[in-house]
Amino acid sequence: MTADLFPVPDEWATQARIDAAGYDRLYAAAKDGPDAFWLEQAKRLDWIEAPQKAGDWSFDEADFHIEWFADGTLNAAANCLDRHLIERGDQVAIIWEPDVPTEEPRRFTYRELHAEVCRFANVLKANGATKGDRVTIYMPMIPEAAFAVLACARIGAVHSVVFGGFSADALAGRVQDCDSRIVVTADEGRRGGKRVALKACVDEAAAQAPSLERVIVVRATGGDVAMGERDVWYHEAAAQVSTDCPPEPMNAEDPLFILYTSGSTGKPKGVLHSTGGYLLWASLTHEWCFDYRPGDVWWCAADIGWVTGHTYILYGPLANGATTLMYEGLPNWPDASRIWQVVDRHRVTGLFTAPTALRALMKEGDAPVTATDRSSLRILGSVGEPINPEAWRWYHEVVGEGRCPIIDTWWQTETGGALIAPLPGATALKPGSATRPLPGIFPQLMDEKGEVLEGATSGNLCITGSWPGQMRTVWGDHDRFFQTYFTTYPGKYFTGDGCRRDEDDYYWITGRVDDVINVSGHRMGTAEVESALVLHAKVAEAAVVGMPHEVKGQGIYAYVTLNGGVAASEELAAELKHWVRREIGPIATPDAIQFAPALPKTRSGKIMRRILRKIAEGDTGALGDTSTLADPAVVDDLVANRVG
Ligand code: WT7
C-alpha cells in the first residue's frame, strides 16, 4: 500500500504553519484541555467583549444544548472588514472574475468592500431590516451577493442564501419557512453565456410567499424586468444612503445565517449557524487546511448558495484578511481551459473545487490544462463528495504537476467547515481519503446495533463531541434537530455518512447511508424529488434512488407508477424530467425514469429501496432476499425494463 502514500514533501514540512508535531500538539491540547484550547483559538477573532466561556454542550436528550463562547460579543462583518482597515485597507479583498472572459475583472480593496457593505447595510435598514430579521438572498455570483451577505451580518439580520439555480417553488418554500420579509435578488444572472431570470422567479415565488414585502433588485445584466410596488432598485436606494454603518454588537450565540439543505425526509431543513463559533471555525479551518498566509490569492470555486461558498469564499478568507476570488461562471466555459486561465490571470495560489468538476475536465484530456501555466498554484482542495483516486491523481499530477498537496476536506452544511482533512505540512496523503480529523474533532464509527467499532473497520460516522462550527438548530424546529442527528446513536452527532477507517487511522468516506444522494457534490433528498414527481397529474407513485454516474458521482434514477389509463412513453418521461426541473431546479433533474407497473413493497407497504438501488446500479444479479415482498414478481418486471 506504500505506493498509495504521498509523504509530506520536505519543503512543506519545514515551511508550513503546522507540521506533524504541531498537529499532534494541537490535537492533544484540544482533547486534554478544551476550554483553555478554544479560548486561546478564539483570540484570533476581534471581540467586542472577549468570551470567558468556551464550549458548553450536551448531546443527551435531558440536557440537550450547544453553546460556544456564550458570554462573548462580536460582529462577523466587522471581523471580515473593519479590523483589516488599518493594516491592509488597500489590499484587494475580493477579485471578481466575470462569466465572459473578455470582460474586465473587478477588484475591491478591504476599504472599498467595507464601504460597499456599509452602503448595502444602510439600504437594508432603510427597507426595514433589523437585528434578528431574516433576509433571503437569491443572487448570481456577483460582488453584490457578497455585499448583501456581509451587510446582513453587519446589522445582525440573519441571511438565508438560496442558490440561484433553485426554482420559484423552492425559493418560495425557503422564504416562507423562515418568514423573510425581504428578498435581495438581481435582474438576471449569467452563467456559461446563458441568462437566468432571477427577478422573474422571485415574482413567481412571491405569489406563494405572503411574508414577502420587499424585493431589493440589483441591476446586473440590464435585462428587462417588471418592477412592481414591492420592488426597489438597489442602485436607486444606494444613492440615498451613506457608507457609514456601525456594526451591531452580537452575542456569539446569536444566529448568523440559515442555509437550507436536504434531508432524508420531508422538506429541506433550515440549518442555523451561530456568529462566534461558526466564524471561528471558518477562519481557523481556512488557515489550518490551506496553510493560508498573507499574499495568497485564494479561489474557492463554489457558489455562495452553498455552505462551501459561505465558509471558504466569504467568512473564512475575509476573517483572515485574504484575497478571495469570486467567479461568476462555469469551470468549463467557453472551453475546458477556462478554470486554468482564471488561475493564471489572477496568479491564484490555492484552488478549492469539487471532484465532479475535475471529472468533467479530465474527460477533455490534458491539453487544455497543459496549455496554461499554473505555476502560481501551491495548494489544491477538494470538497463535496468522495474523490475517486483517478481524479485525485489527475489533480495532483496534471493540474499541480506533483507540486501541490491535495486537501480533501470532508464536512457538511451542518458542520460549518471542514472536520476531517489533511494539513498540508503535517499529513501524508492517500488518494481518496480525507485522512485525519482536525484538532477538536473526535470521530467514532458505529455499527447498526449501536456499538462503537474500534480499529480498522467500516461503520456509520459519528462525532462524539461538539466543535465551535456545529449548527445550533433547525430553524423553527428544534425537536427536528435533535431527532435527526442525536437519536440514532444517543449522545453522539450522527453524520449520515458511512465510513471506513484503515490501519493508519485514516478515514475514507463511502457515501450517505440515508436516503440522501450526492449529485455533482450537491445534496439531494430522494423524498424531495419523489414529492415533486407525485405532484404531476399523471403520476400515482414514485421512488427515487441514486445510481453511479461517471461525472456527477451519483445520478438520479426515478421509478414511476402512472395513474390508471395513462400510457408510458418517451415523451412522458421527458415531460416528467422537465417537470422536476421546474419544481426544484436543474440540479434535481432525473437522469433516468423507469415506468413501473408497481413498486416492490413489503407486506406492510414499505418500499424496498435496497432492491431499487441495486437495479438502478445495474447490480441485478445479487438482489438478496426478496421473499418478504408482497409480490416478488414485481421485481422481475423492474429488472427486465431497467433504463440505461
Ligand atoms: C455531504 C454533505 C462539504 C460542503 C459541501 C457539501 C458528502 C462532502 C466530502 C468529501 C466524501 C463528502 C458527505 C456529506 N461529502 N465532502 N470530502 N468526501 N464525501 O455539503 O451539501 O451539506 O453535503 O457531502 O456525504 O455528508 P452538503
Side-chain angles (χ1 to χ4, degrees):
M1 291 298 276
T2 43
D4 281 340
L5 191 72
F6 290 71
V8 177
D10 286 344
E11 66 274 22
W12 274 93
T14 50
Q15 286 168 29
R17 282 177 171 273
I18 302 169
D19 61 11
Y23 167 79
D24 290 344
R25 258 195 316 273
L26 287 172
Y27 202 84
K31 191 171 179 189
D32 301 336
D35 289 346
F37 178 81
W38 288 116
L39 287 174
E40 183 60 31
Q41 299 304 323
K43 290 183 184 157
R44 66 187 292 118
L45 297 183
D46 192 26
W47 297 87
I48 298 166
E49 195 72 58
Q52 308 301 316
K53 285 164 51 179
D56 180 349
W57 50 269
S58 162
F59 293 170
D60 295 329
E61 183 159 22
D63 183 31
F64 181 60
H65 69 283
I66 301 169
E67 282 184 354
W68 283 89
F69 314 116
D71 59 351
T73 309
L74 77 169
N75 180 282
N79 268 276
C80 292
L81 303 166
D82 307 46
R83 75 155 151 165
H84 302 312
L85 292 182
I86 292 174
E87 233 181 282
R88 52 181 80 87
D90 296 323
Q91 182 204 306
V92 174
I94 294 183
I95 302 173
W96 177 75
E97 167 72 19
D99 188 40
V100 181
T102 50
E103 283 177 16
E104 281 304 305
R106 293 172 70 187
R107 292 184 178 82
F108 300 86
T109 65
Y110 272 96
R111 202 178 314 286
E112 290 164 340
L113 182 60
H114 176 266
E116 293 293 353
V117 169
C118 288
R119 199 193 322 272
F120 214 114
N122 282 331
V123 168
L124 289 173
K125 276 190 185 169
N127 283 284
T130 57
K131 181 171 177 172
D133 280 358
R134 278 77 57 206
V135 173
T136 298
I137 300 176
Y138 184 64
M139 287 281 264
M141 284 289 287
I142 56 176
E144 288 79 1
F147 306 163
V149 165
L150 294 167
C152 288
R154 193 163 191 88
I155 64 171
V158 182
H159 57 78
S160 165
V161 182
V162 176
F163 174 56
F166 276 123
S167 69
D169 275 357
L171 172 64
R174 286 157 172 80
V175 167
Q176 215 37 43
D177 184 77
C178 66
D179 276 313
S180 281
R181 286 188 301 110
I182 302 179
V183 170
V184 178
T185 191
D187 46 6
E188 297 173 313
R190 310 186 299 178
R191 265 194 122 191
K194 295 198 189 106
R195 295 200 170 190
V196 190
L198 294 173
K199 170 62 167 62
C201 261
V202 175
D203 292 343
E204 204 184 320
Q208 310 163 51
S211 67
L212 182 52
E213 288 167 12
R214 179 69 77 229
V215 180
I216 300 173
V217 188
V218 172
R219 191 154 70 191
T221 65
D224 256 352
V225 290
M227 295 293 280
E229 242 169 56
R230 78 179 146 246
D231 305 327
V232 173
W233 278 114
Y234 176 69
H235 60 274
E236 287 174 6
Q240 313 282 319
V241 300
S242 81
T243 55
D244 182 27
C245 175
E248 186 74 32
M250 304 295 285
N251 181 273
E253 278 299 310
D254 281 338
L256 180 61
F257 66 84
I258 299 169
L259 194 53
Y260 285 87
T261 192
S262 299
S264 48
T265 51
K267 56 177 185 149
K269 296 185 282 277
V271 168
L272 187 104
H273 279 288
S274 71
T275 304
Y278 167 82
L279 192 66
L280 177 63
W281 198 249
S283 152
L284 199 53
T285 56
H286 171 250
E287 182 176 294
W288 278 348
C289 298
F290 307 112
D291 192 56
Y292 167 70
R293 49 188 66 221
D296 280 356
V297 177
W298 169 249
W299 181 16
C300 167
D303 190 286
I304 59 149
W306 313 112
V307 73
T308 310
H310 284 57
T311 305
Y312 296 115
I313 297 177
L314 297 179
Y315 285 114
L318 294 176
N320 291 341
T323 297
T324 184
L325 191 147
M326 205 176 158
Y327 173 43
E328 189 181 23
L330 298 171
N332 57 356
W333 188 85
D335 59 55
S337 236
R338 180 67 190 276
I339 186 168
W340 321 119
Q341 286 162 3
V342 175
V343 165
D344 285 351
R345 185 179 205 179
H346 302 290
R347 302 288 303 158
V348 169
T349 56
L351 172 70
F352 194 25
T353 188
T356 186
L358 296 172
R359 287 192 297 265
L361 292 167
M362 243 172 102
K363 284 179 69 161
E364 308 293 327
D366 297 356
V369 186
T370 54
T372 61
D373 176 49
R374 286 158 292 109
S375 62
S376 57
L377 285 174
R378 60 179 200 97
I379 201 147
L380 296 170
S382 174
V383 60
E385 46 175 327
I387 180 164
N388 47 310
E390 203 193 352
W392 194 102
R393 286 175 183 282
W394 187 78
Y395 203 21
H396 188 252
E397 276 146 41
V398 180
V399 175
E401 293 168 352
R403 186 179 73 239
C404 310
I406 305 294
I407 307 300
D408 176 6
T409 62
W410 172 84
W411 54 297
Q412 311 178 296
T413 305
E414 293 89 334
T415 71
L419 295 196
I420 301 181
L423 305 190
T427 320
L429 306 173
K430 297 186 185 192
S433 169
T435 76
R436 310 272 303 125
L438 294 180
I441 302 304
F442 308 104
Q444 256 181 2
L445 300 184
M446 309 292 295
D447 72 8
E448 302 292 336
K449 295 191 285 292
E451 299 295 328
V452 178
L453 298 164
E454 305 288 352
T457 183
S458 290
N460 290 341
L461 177 63
C462 290
I463 311 292
T464 58
S466 185
W467 63 97
Q470 184 170 29
M471 71 181 284
R472 296 297 194 266
T473 191
V474 170
W475 179 263
D477 199 347
H478 198 56
D479 187 52
R480 188 171 173 202
F481 177 48
F482 180 76
Q483 296 298 331
T484 306
Y485 302 101
F486 303 94
T487 54
T488 315
Y489 300 107
K492 303 172 207 295
Y493 170 77
F494 176 42
T495 64
D497 279 329
C499 183
R500 179 167 75 83
R501 186 171 50 217
D502 72 15
E503 55 290 346
D504 298 322
D505 266 352
Y506 274 48
Y507 289 81
W508 302 72
I509 307 297
T510 50
R512 302 288 305 197
V513 294
D514 52 10
D515 291 319
V516 170
I517 55 182
N518 192 322
V519 184
S520 302
H522 300 311
R523 192 158 142 182
M524 187 54 57
T526 52
E528 269 169 81
V529 184
E530 289 163 5
S531 313
L533 281 165
V534 296
L535 277 178
H536 191 281
K538 292 180 179 164
V539 174
E541 200 174 21
V544 169
V545 296
M547 65 174 200
H549 189 287
E550 212 189 321
V551 172
K552 297 183 186 179
Q554 280 190 300
I556 301 177
Y557 194 107
Y559 297 88
V560 170
T561 306
L562 296 169
N563 282 325
V566 179
S569 67
E570 292 277 324
E571 292 71 45
L572 184 53
E575 185 183 322
L576 291 178
K577 286 182 189 177
H578 187 73
W579 173 266
V580 175
R581 193 186 164 87
R582 248 205 70 88
E583 283 291 321
I584 305 176
I587 54 172
T589 313
D591 295 277
I593 290 194
Q594 176 171 356
F595 293 110
L599 297 174
K601 291 185 185 165
T602 61
R603 284 183 202 97
S604 61
K606 205 171 166 311
I607 295 176
M608 289 190 74
R609 290 172 177 279
R610 178 179 57 79
I611 292 177
L612 294 178
R613 266 184 226 121
K614 290 232 163 193
I615 297 172
E617 284 164 13
D619 186 10
T620 50
L623 289 179
D625 184 12
T626 55
S627 62
T628 53
L629 285 173
D631 177 8
V634 167
V635 173
D636 300 333
D637 177 87
L638 292 178
V639 171
N641 294 301
R642 186 176 167 267
V643 178

